[in-house]
Amino acid sequence: MNPDAVVIGGGFYGASVAVYLRERRGLKNVVLLERADRLMQRSSYNNQARIHSGYHYLRSFTTAYRSRVNFPRFIAEFPQAVYDGFQQVYALARRNSKVTNQQMRRFCAEIGAPLLPAPKEYASLFDPRLIEAVYLTEETAFHAATLRALLIARLGKNNVAIRLGAEVNSVRCTGDGVVVEGQGFSYSVPMIFNCTYSRLQQTVGGVGPSKFSLKHEIAEMALVDPPPQLKNIGITVMDGAFFSCMPFPARGLHSLSHVRYTPHRSWQEDGARDPYEILANDDKESRADRMILDAARYVPLLRNCTPIDTLFEIKTVLLQNEADDGRPILFERHAPHGRVFSILGGKIDNIYDILERLDAEKLPEQVKS
């Protein structure tokens, strides 16, 4: 029997959408397809593991406000995966920052994000010649492996059929549905949900006239062992070409990213090249040493970080938000058939924006349980 819906992409978004279709839309039979050998092992794992609360997006009010709204929702839904055993500290650079101290305080007040002047024990970690202000903030991290286990359990509870190693070769719309085909499988369904992140265009390039305005980059996330004084602290220096070093719970290390050195190469989506193939063929030469060297100018203790590992992944963003660093969702229902949904979120809390959009949609030929 053919399913009522197919979700393509087994990351956090695809798994969450599959659960949503069963729990909140009452579809009887949902299939989740993932081309890798397990769920949530790409961008859902290879990232900062930051649960955003608004501070990171001082130049995009909408993104910051939505993060502030979604922050408590994520914590309430996935408390087992939340790691809050550290203090997140944000600092503002004296030079070359794109926002001022006054703007930062006013912005955080507008979105309702607590911002407290850091006491000496934190402020003294920074070089005052380069840092104008240091603040304690309300922000946490997530444990990617725990989050994966929670989603797999929810998929099982809802009897979502998971098919791993399922490479989708074609998606085409017919008069009364969508046909999804790959090696060893073929489904004819009323609707599909394209949650393939960097492969959005490759997956459904032939089903509609839209061309997603996406930018891809090969991003490096260094994993470091911080000095003892920084093990229970997360640090982000704002706002511009600066850095972040914060706990990465899945490995018991800290992630270190730098606006200048994390992006290795970038290109605009053209629908012809598979971003993951480009990543596989990249030389992946780490820049962790340069990240540490520059970060230590602002926080001298960071020179005592020990590089342990590096995560390389494709990062995909909407071209329209390059200037303000915003992270809105991409939610497209492909015309003229309305049976294919393409979904992209720039950070983990965007999932609630996606689900709210889905709540407003009337699904085609929905089958009630």
Side-chain angles (χ1 to χ4, degrees), residues 144-321:
T146 302
L147 187 62
R148 178 195 293 133
L150 293 172
L151 264 295
I152 289 174
R154 289 179 66 178
L155 290 164
K157 178 182 176 182
N158 284 282
N159 297 313
V160 173
I162 302 170
R163 188 158 188 162
L164 302 175
E167 176 81 46
V168 173
N169 295 330
S170 70
V171 175
R172 68 180 190 278
C173 292
T174 63
D176 57 357
V178 187
V179 176
V180 182
E181 295 180 322
Q183 184 66 38
F185 64 87
S186 178
Y187 298 105
S188 179
V189 292
M191 68 197 97
I192 72 161
F193 296 83
N194 176 24
C195 302
T196 53
Y197 191 56
S198 296
R199 299 186 81 240
L200 283 178
Q201 191 66 48
Q202 282 76 26
T203 302
V204 296
V207 302
S210 298
K211 291 288 186 182
F212 307 124
S213 296
L214 303 178
K215 174 189 172 184
H216 305 299
E217 69 180 33
I218 294 177
E220 174 185 358
M221 190 70 59
L223 297 183
V224 302
D225 188 15
Q229 303 94 319
L230 300 180
K231 285 192 180 292
N232 296 319
I233 299 174
I235 293 170
T236 298
V237 174
M238 299 292 281
D239 180 26
F242 303 113
F243 71 94
S244 182
C245 185
M246 61 178 287
F248 188 82
R251 294 284 297 276
L253 299 168
H254 274 42
S255 65
L256 176 60
S257 60
H258 194 292
V259 173
R260 186 180 301 119
Y261 299 120
T262 285
H264 278 236
R265 58 182 294 196
S266 63
W267 65 98
Q268 186 172 343
E269 170 68 62
D270 59 11
R273 298 175 292 174
D274 184 339
Y276 295 125
E277 183 177 337
I278 295 174
L279 175 62
N281 293 324
D282 189 78
D283 60 14
K284 302 182 185 66
E285 181 180 354
S286 177
R287 298 171 180 168
D289 56 344
R290 280 174 276 181
M291 295 185 198
I292 292 172
L293 187 64
D294 190 69
R297 294 194 299 124
Y298 299 88
V299 182
L301 278 171
L302 285 172
R303 68 169 56 95
N304 299 321
C305 283
T306 302
I308 302 297
D309 199 1
T310 296
L311 305 176
F312 284 93
E313 192 52 86
I314 296 292
K315 176 182 177 181
T316 297
V317 299
L318 296 175
L319 273 172
Q320 69 192 52
N321 295 106

Side-chain angles (χ1 to χ4, degrees), residues 27-87:
L27 299 192
K28 294 179 180 178
N29 186 355
V30 176
V31 172
L32 177 62
L33 303 178
E34 168 55 45
R35 70 196 296 239
D37 58 2
R38 60 176 180 160
L39 302 180
M40 293 176 59
Q41 69 171 356
R42 296 217 63 125
S43 297
S44 300
Y45 183 92
N46 297 327
N47 60 63
Q48 275 188 328
R50 186 195 303 264
I51 306 175
H52 284 276
S53 189
Y55 306 98
H56 213 65
Y57 298 102
L58 299 179
R59 288 175 286 127
S60 176
F61 180 86
T62 300
T63 298
Y65 179 75
R66 290 303 304 174
S67 288
R68 190 65 202 159
V69 169
N70 292 332
F71 177 75
R73 298 175 69 179
F74 185 93
I75 290 175
E77 185 169 1
F78 302 104
Q80 305 95 320
V82 174
Y83 178 73
D84 58 4
F86 70 102
Q87 175 63 57

Side-chain angles (χ1 to χ4, degrees), residues 13 17 60 62-63 66-67 70 197 200 212-214 316-321 325-333 342-361:
Y13 276 63
V17 168
S60 176
T62 300
T63 298
R66 290 303 304 174
S67 288
N70 292 332
Y197 191 56
L200 283 178
F212 307 124
S213 296
L214 303 178
T316 297
V317 299
L318 296 175
L319 273 172
Q320 69 192 52
N321 295 106
D325 200 35
R327 293 293 181 268
I329 62 172
L330 183 154
F331 184 98
E332 177 158 346
R333 188 168 185 171
S342 287
I343 290 168
L344 173 73
K347 49 198 177 60
I348 202 160
D349 59 89
N350 279 149
I351 188 60
Y352 299 105
D353 300 326
I354 296 292
L355 299 184
E356 287 180 10
R357 284 292 303 272
L358 282 170
D359 280 339
E361 297 291 325

